[in-house]
Amino acid sequence: MELIGFTLDIIGKVMIAFTALMVHHRFSKEHKIDEKVFSEMKREKIVGILGILFMILGFLLQLSSKL
């Protein structure tokens, strides 16, 4: 049961992070923004992707100790 809760937790976190990244992507495609805001959004996208990768990596590392 603990493993199921742990798995659902990480799936939820990744879904939230992915949703935030998609909002940034849609905003950059549909709105006119200046170059300063656009470059900041690119930086946030990179940090967001790294965050998702860290969550998945942390999940995999913790998963091996729970099995």
Side-chain angles (χ1 to χ4, degrees):
M1 191 57 88
E2 182 182 350
L3 182 60
I4 293 171
F6 177 63
T7 302
L8 291 175
D9 178 60
I10 189 65
I11 290 171
K13 287 176 183 176
V14 170
M15 288 173 66
I16 291 169
F18 182 74
T19 302
L21 289 173
M22 292 308 297
V23 168
H24 276 84
H25 177 72
R26 181 174 296 255
F27 181 79
S28 68
K29 294 288 182 191
E30 294 183 6
H31 290 84
K32 294 188 180 217
I33 50 177
D34 64 3
E35 188 59 36
K36 186 176 179 183
V37 174
F38 190 67
S39 71
E40 180 66 26
M41 287 177 69
K42 281 183 180 178
R43 186 175 19 253
E44 288 175 0
K45 182 178 179 180
I46 291 169
V47 171
I49 290 170
L50 283 173
I52 291 172
L53 292 175
F54 287 155
M55 282 189 279
I56 292 170
L57 180 61
F59 169 76
L60 293 174
L61 291 172
Q62 290 181 47
L63 182 63
S64 65
S65 70
K66 293 186 182 291
L67 293 178

